[in-house]
Amino acid sequence: MWLAIAVAVGWLLIGGVVGPLSGQLSEVQTNDNASFLPASAESTLVADEQAAFAEQQSFPGLVVVTRPDGAALTPEDMAAAAAFAEAIPSLAVGTDGTVADYLAPAPVVPIPSDDGKAVLIAVPLDGDKAQETIDGELSLSVITESLRAAAEDVPSLEINVTGPVGILTDLISVFGAIDTTLLGATALIVAIILIFVYRSPFLWLVPLVAAGMALSVASAIVYVLAKNEVLVLNGQSQGILTVLVFGAGTDYALLMVARYREELHNHAVHTDAMKAAWRGTVEPILASAATVIIGLLCLLLSELNSNRSLGPVGAAGIVGALVVMLTFLPALLVIPSIVLPILAFLVPTVIGLGLSLITDLSVGPFAAMGGLLAAVTIVGWVVFGIMRIRKPEWGPFSRQKFPPGRWAFWPKVPREGETDERLSGIWSRLAGSIGRRPRSTWIVTTLVMLILAGFTVTLKADGITTTEAFVERTDSVVGQEKLAEHFPGGLGTPAIIIANEEGLDAVTAAAAATPGIASVVPYTGVPAGVPGADQAPVKVVDGRVQLQATLTAAADSPEAIDAVSALRDNVHAVEGADALVGGQTASQLDVDEASLHDRNLIIPVVLVVVFLVLMLLLRSIAAPLVLMGTVVLSFFATLGVCAIAFNHIFGYAGADTSFPLFAFVFLVALGVDYNIFLMTRVREESIKLGTRPGILKGLTVTGGVITSAGIVLAATFLVLGVLPLVFLREIGFAVAIGVLIDTFIIRSTLVPALSYDIGKKIWWPSRLAKADAPD
């Protein structure tokens, strides 16, 4: 008991230290394009060479001016657009700065479209200054908001800020909601599910507090590593970290709590019950965490920086969840009264936080009230505890009616010697049904899974454009659509060609002859619009020249990617030019190619390492082969369901090229968890009862907890849907559907039925598979 108290108090002290660090996690995010580019790619090489052509690298913002009714611009409209462009450098940025302080050396001039319906104003920001912070925000975001605020003062025109600056600002705005929206939604949905699962006014808070501690610890670890540039954190990784830690941590908690409740029926002393529960769950929890950690770390093999960053970020989160759930959670279960002051503090504080978001009320007084209630609760519980010790038979909550360590389960308090209700419930009946018809069960289930898997071929995972990546039509998305409608789609974001000086003419001719290229101009170093810019000589750096090729299609469209691919083929064929093609579209092409490489490399590696973990855990070869086969089948069935949902229900344009890889890593690493929870218990029971009775007993006693765990994990990943990005919503949906398939179909019917039909040979070549072993 004293050890449990020391552990609980120690973790609370640690929480006080790591809590502030986890709250600063968004400050070490890196959401610029470089964090998502391949580490070594042609576009990266071009970016490195391009830096030598200008002392200041430009980061373009594009302002598109149109009429709200879509009609041609009048002379008055043109004058208003010109006045807006002229006023841009003087717009306020921060408290004492202006846009001019952050501009690259190029004029801000309006460019009318050929159809006369739009004006384009290029706002080239200095690449270095755009990454500076102003009052904790990136300067490019502050500048964008200043432009958008100024646009509201021109009601006669519709003015949208897009281009890399506008799009990145909207992305940062989305990821900025992770700290509050995503965390709050995740905690709320986990709390609701736990209340429903436990049907207790107290017990649900124990796993929730432990999960919150796990997230704080994991976030603090990631913060320190990102702060010291050991790993790269982006908004995408942070969002997945939140739901991953809450989901996996709650799964471990559910398994521990269920086994503790079971052992309380077998032990008079609650600390003995906890020791037995800990010994019974530590192996599957460790194995489960190991599969997820190893699976995520396989992402370090990726060519994409964004994928590589997610690996250690997610692994750090699982480590935090593992350590907390094996130490802090057991301590809370042994002395659950420590949770009551936390609850007393949280209730008014959360109410105050909610009110502060919609009113002018401050959260401070509510937090102070929570602190006072927590102090009163501590004093009251100390007095109550003394009374329970001195008068164990007195009162409705006496030690005899509610023995120590059990009151949190009220109103269904487990008592020594009582029959566990799980042995006669729905899972007992399901196990009996599988035992009577194992072969027909697994055959029918497999056929259903194969039918769903057949729809995988209809999944469109060849990439989506920037405008399709946002669920909502943000200002930058609207601007991008208008830009493509009235101008060459690639205007403002050209393809960059670097070549040898002697190959300039040949490369220019080859590029101009490429379908999808609107124009090709050499780089002179003199900004367009400056007098004499047309006569300026081509700039040469170390015998290399730069050309800018404007695309006819939008820079992020499939047509533009095809054009850049053809452009690369054409300029690469120019002998002696050593030409390279980069730029935004080329970067996306490199990302797509790297995603295919990662998929082909990482998926087999994940399968192998997870298989080896299962072999070590189950001391068998046959059982891991069966489990891996069911997990792969579940993965393809999930992709089939996703194809149906994305194409015909949600109406998404498609999925990112990295979607299958992310879905596979999460589904295999997380989906196999439930097989681990099931089969470790089956093996434990098989040693005592024989294989077939052990399978039915293992399914019976783990059915409820694993189903609850699957629902929690699926719900937490569905919370990614609160963020208006198609990729995160698709990942959240895929993992949720895959986990539910694993929980309700694979683990509940297919695995036990197939294992039962195979019999003791499922444990080959271990001792359990021998003929003289009970079956």
Side-chain angles (χ1 to χ4, degrees):
M1 174 64 77
W2 290 110
L3 177 61
I5 293 175
V7 170
V9 173
W11 271 115
L12 292 176
L13 293 176
I14 292 174
V17 175
V18 302
L21 293 181
S22 62
Q24 302 170 29
L25 197 58
S26 60
E27 298 178 7
V28 292
Q29 280 188 23
T30 304
N31 290 307
D32 60 331
N33 290 339
S35 66
F36 291 91
L37 288 174
S40 60
E42 186 170 339
S43 56
T44 306
L45 299 176
V46 169
D48 293 339
E49 286 201 60
Q50 189 182 6
F53 282 83
E55 294 181 1
Q56 296 175 317
Q57 292 299 310
S58 174
F59 194 49
L62 303 177
V63 179
V64 184
V65 182
T66 57
R67 286 183 60 88
D69 57 7
L73 296 172
T74 65
E76 292 78 12
D77 295 332
M78 289 291 187
F84 185 83
E86 185 178 358
I88 286 176
S90 60
L91 293 178
V93 176
T95 55
D96 54 0
T98 63
V99 173
D101 299 329
Y102 298 87
L103 289 175
V108 179
V109 294
I111 304 172
S113 64
D114 292 339
D115 61 9
K117 294 183 178 181
V119 168
L120 175 65
I121 305 172
V123 185
L125 300 182
D126 182 299
D128 294 328
K129 293 182 178 180
Q131 303 301 317
E132 295 176 357
T133 58
I134 302 174
D135 297 330
E137 292 187 66
L138 279 179
S139 59
L140 66 89
S141 297
V142 178
I143 292 169
T144 301
E145 295 308 321
S146 180
L147 289 170
R148 288 172 176 169
E152 295 178 358
D153 296 331
V154 190
S156 61
L157 297 175
E158 184 171 347
I159 302 177
N160 306 103
V161 182
T162 186
V165 169
I167 292 171
L168 184 54
T169 296
D170 289 339
L171 281 173
I172 292 172
S173 176
V174 168
F175 289 131
I178 288 175
D179 285 343
T180 53
T181 305
L182 189 61
L183 179 58
T186 303
L188 177 62
I189 197 158
V190 169
I192 292 173
I193 294 174
L194 290 177
I195 291 172
F196 177 79
V197 168
Y198 290 133
R199 294 185 289 278
S200 166
F202 309 110
L203 186 57
W204 64 273
L205 190 60
V206 175
L208 193 64
V209 169
M213 179 66 74
L215 181 60
S216 295
V217 171
S219 299
I221 294 172
V222 173
Y223 173 84
V224 172
L225 295 177
K227 184 75 172 179
N228 292 280
E229 300 181 352
V230 176
L231 54 78
V232 175
L233 175 73
N234 52 52
Q236 173 181 291
S237 298
Q238 185 179 346
I240 293 176
L241 173 70
T242 300
V243 298
L244 181 64
V245 173
F246 251 95
T250 306
D251 277 4
Y252 304 154
L254 285 165
L255 189 66
M256 179 74 75
V257 172
R259 189 60 181 263
Y260 179 48
R261 183 201 293 266
E262 180 182 341
E263 295 297 340
L264 285 173
H265 290 288
N266 304 322
H267 296 82
V269 181
H270 67 292
T271 52
D272 293 339
M274 175 51 67
K275 291 176 184 177
W278 196 91
R279 287 193 298 267
T281 56
V282 64
E283 187 177 36
I285 289 177
L286 283 173
S288 169
T291 57
V292 180
I293 291 170
I294 294 173
L296 288 170
L297 289 180
C298 287
L299 290 174
L300 290 172
L301 300 173
S302 173
E303 288 188 350
L304 289 174
N305 291 338
S306 54
N307 287 356
R308 283 209 307 274
S309 71
L310 177 60
V313 168
I318 295 298
V319 169
L322 173 67
V323 174
V324 169
M325 294 306 172
L326 289 180
T327 54
F328 187 47
L329 175 65
L332 290 181
L333 290 171
V334 171
I335 47 169
S337 55
I338 199 171
V339 178
L340 292 180
I342 299 175
L343 178 63
F345 172 75
L346 285 179
V347 169
T349 303
V350 170
I351 292 174
L353 181 61
L355 291 175
S356 68
L357 296 176
I358 57 177
T359 68
D360 294 332
L361 293 175
S362 172
V363 72
F366 291 90
M369 183 184 300
L372 178 61
L373 288 176
V376 172
T377 303
I378 292 172
V379 173
W381 190 257
V382 169
V383 173
F384 180 66
I386 294 173
M387 293 296 296
R388 275 169 56 88
I389 294 173
R390 298 193 63 178
K391 295 185 177 181
E393 300 180 358
W394 177 81
F397 295 99
S398 65
R399 289 174 65 88
Q400 289 187 351
K401 292 184 178 180
F402 293 95
R406 302 169 192 254
W407 69 268
F409 292 94
W410 184 84
K412 292 186 177 182
V413 180
R415 302 180 185 278
E416 183 192 11
E418 289 184 349
T419 302
D420 193 339
E421 61 182 14
R422 293 181 302 170
L423 298 179
S424 58
I426 184 173
W427 290 103
S428 175
R429 294 192 292 273
L430 177 61
S433 175
I434 290 174
R436 290 189 295 271
R437 294 178 295 274
R439 185 161 299 176
S440 59
T441 299
W442 73 257
I443 290 176
V444 171
T445 304
T446 301
L447 289 176
V448 172
M449 292 293 98
L450 289 173
I451 292 172
L452 293 176
F455 289 95
T456 300
V457 296
T458 65
L459 180 67
K460 296 177 290 186
D462 51 359
I464 53 178
T465 67
T466 302
T467 55
E468 294 166 344
F470 288 92
V471 176
E472 302 171 356
R473 296 182 74 250
T474 63
D475 184 64
S476 63
V477 168
V478 174
Q480 199 73 14
E481 292 173 349
K482 292 183 179 297
L483 180 67
E485 181 181 353
H486 300 292
F487 295 91
L491 190 65
T493 51
I496 306 299
I497 306 171
I498 305 290
N500 292 334
E501 180 184 6
E502 57 270 21
L504 174 61
D505 293 337
V507 170
T508 301
T514 303
I517 301 299
S519 63
V520 182
V521 295
Y523 178 76
T524 63
V526 180
V530 174
D534 296 339
Q535 288 76 38
V538 176
K539 186 169 185 177
V540 181
V541 177
D542 296 331
R544 303 279 280 176
V545 294
Q546 178 185 158
L547 298 94
Q548 297 179 339
T550 300
L551 303 165
T552 57
D556 61 346
S557 66
E559 294 80 9
I561 291 177
D562 292 340
V564 167
S565 180
L567 177 63
R568 280 182 169 175
D569 291 339
N570 289 346
V571 301
H572 289 172
V574 178
E575 294 185 6
D578 293 332
L580 300 172
V581 178
Q584 178 179 328
T585 307
S587 296
Q588 184 58 53
L589 175 60
D590 289 338
V591 167
D592 292 344
E593 292 177 348
S595 294
L596 294 176
H597 166 274
D598 293 346
R599 185 192 312 175
N600 296 335
L601 172 64
I602 295 175
I603 286 178
V605 173
V606 172
L607 286 174
V608 170
V609 297
V610 173
F611 176 74
L612 292 176
V613 171
L614 289 175
M615 281 183 56
L616 294 173
L617 176 68
L618 300 176
R619 289 85 159 172
S620 166
I621 295 177
L625 283 173
V626 170
L627 296 183
M628 293 306 298
T630 61
V631 167
V632 171
L633 179 60
S634 172
F635 168 69
F636 282 106
T638 299
L639 290 189
V641 174
C642 288
I644 296 171
F646 296 168
N647 297 339
H648 305 293
I649 299 178
F650 302 131
Y652 293 148
D656 191 81
T657 51
S658 62
F659 170 78
L661 174 62
F662 275 70
F664 180 85
V665 170
F666 283 116
L667 288 176
V668 170
L670 296 172
V672 81
D673 282 1
Y674 304 116
N675 285 331
I676 288 174
F677 294 162
L678 170 66
M679 293 305 288
T680 51
R681 187 58 185 269
V682 165
R683 189 177 189 281
E684 178 184 334
E685 299 296 337
S686 296
I687 294 173
K688 296 182 293 185
L689 306 175
T691 296
R692 286 194 169 100
I695 291 171
L696 302 184
K697 176 69 177 296
L699 176 60
T700 299
V701 297
T702 63
V705 61
I706 294 178
T707 301
S708 301
I711 292 173
V712 167
L713 187 61
T716 54
F717 269 88
L718 278 178
V719 173
L720 286 174
V722 304
L723 298 179
L725 288 179
V726 169
F727 175 76
L728 289 179
R729 289 193 175 186
E730 289 180 339
I731 286 293
F733 178 84
V735 175
I737 290 297
V739 164
L740 292 177
I741 289 175
D742 281 327
T743 302
F744 287 96
I745 300 178
I746 302 298
R747 191 270 316 162
S748 298
T749 58
L750 181 56
V751 169
L754 188 55
S755 300
Y756 192 95
D757 199 18
I758 295 172
K760 66 184 65 175
K761 292 180 181 179
I762 194 72
W763 306 116
W764 181 85
S766 70
R767 183 180 303 175
L768 281 175
K770 292 184 178 180
D772 56 352
D775 195 358

